[in-house]
Amino acid sequence: MVASENKVTFGLKNTHYAVITDDGKKLTYGTPAALPGATKLTLDASGNAVEFSADDTKYYSADNNQGYTGKFEIAKLTEAFEKDVLGIDDSKGVSTENANAKMKRIALMFEFDGDQKAVRHLLFNVSLSRPGDGSKTKEDKVDVNTQELEFTAAPDPYTGDVKTKTNSKTTDLVYKAWYDKVFDGAASGLGV
């Protein structure tokens, strides 16, 4: 059964990531892994309008969709994420950041709750910055630390897809399998 359309959305939960492999012909996604503790996510549209003047007027204009830039705040990154995405080496029983480590691109999945049904989102091609770190002394109350990652969600270089999300027409099959595999719109609705 198809849900009614949401009037409002709120909250942030069920954040997952899938590591990207790029063979020069298409992006392939690993199995999504949970990234618990999300506290805030912002998406700012990236790209400028293309305008061309001729005959003393605006002759042509078009949108130039370059995806999004954003910030993702989380209580604490998981050790698996640090290793899989940030390139942290844990082979010696400690977590070592190396200047030569290569960060990996990911698909980022998350959901906003709604008055009818949560909306599940997917950013197809995300590049992240290294997170900062810090803390402060405890006083009469404890302030929990968070980590923030800046990111760019660029178009998939092969398909042009930037972002997709569930809506009131999304089937139960697609909705329930959202975090099992990165959605690619295949006939099965579950990706290839």
Side-chain angles (χ1 to χ4, degrees):
M1 178 170 171
V2 175
S4 297
E5 188 173 337
N6 282 321
K7 293 180 183 173
V8 296
T9 59
F10 46 87
L12 172 64
K13 62 185 177 184
N14 286 335
T15 305
H16 287 66
Y17 68 95
V19 175
I20 291 175
T21 303
D22 185 348
D23 67 4
K25 296 178 185 171
K26 73 175 198 169
L27 299 184
T28 304
Y29 302 96
T31 302
L35 189 56
T39 61
K40 186 176 183 180
L41 184 134
T42 59
L43 291 171
D44 297 316
S46 181
N48 298 317
V50 176
E51 294 184 352
F52 176 76
S53 295
D55 295 332
D56 290 339
T57 185
K58 190 184 304 181
Y59 192 75
Y60 173 79
S61 66
D63 184 45
N64 178 15
N65 184 340
Q66 293 299 312
Y68 295 90
T69 58
K71 293 182 182 178
F72 175 60
E73 189 175 316
I74 188 166
K76 182 183 176 305
L77 293 170
T78 63
E79 291 178 9
F81 182 88
E82 289 179 336
K83 181 178 179 178
D84 296 345
V85 179
L86 303 180
I88 299 295
D89 178 4
D90 66 356
S91 64
K92 298 174 185 161
V94 294
S95 297
T96 302
E97 180 179 341
N98 184 288
N100 298 317
K102 303 292 184 215
M103 291 178 53
K104 296 193 177 135
R105 291 180 293 155
I106 62 170
L108 184 62
M109 307 160 84
F110 52 91
E111 70 184 65
F112 301 152
D113 209 349
D115 61 303
Q116 298 296 317
K117 190 171 190 176
V119 178
R120 294 180 170 175
H121 296 257
L122 164 62
L123 298 170
F124 288 100
N125 186 18
V126 176
S127 299
L128 302 157
S129 68
R130 290 177 18 246
D133 205 0
S135 195
K136 67 179 186 176
T137 191
K138 293 188 297 183
E139 295 178 0
D140 56 338
K141 70 174 191 153
V142 175
D143 292 322
V144 175
N145 296 324
T146 59
Q147 292 179 291
E148 184 176 85
L149 297 148
E150 292 185 7
F151 66 87
T152 300
D156 178 313
Y158 309 106
T159 67
D161 291 341
V162 176
K163 178 180 182 286
T164 193
K165 64 182 179 178
T166 60
N167 61 33
S168 62
K169 297 176 185 168
T170 303
T171 66
D172 284 342
L173 182 66
V174 169
Y175 192 84
K176 288 177 182 174
W178 194 257
Y179 298 110
D180 296 340
K181 192 172 199 174
V182 173
F183 179 79
D184 72 355
S188 69
L190 302 176
V192 181

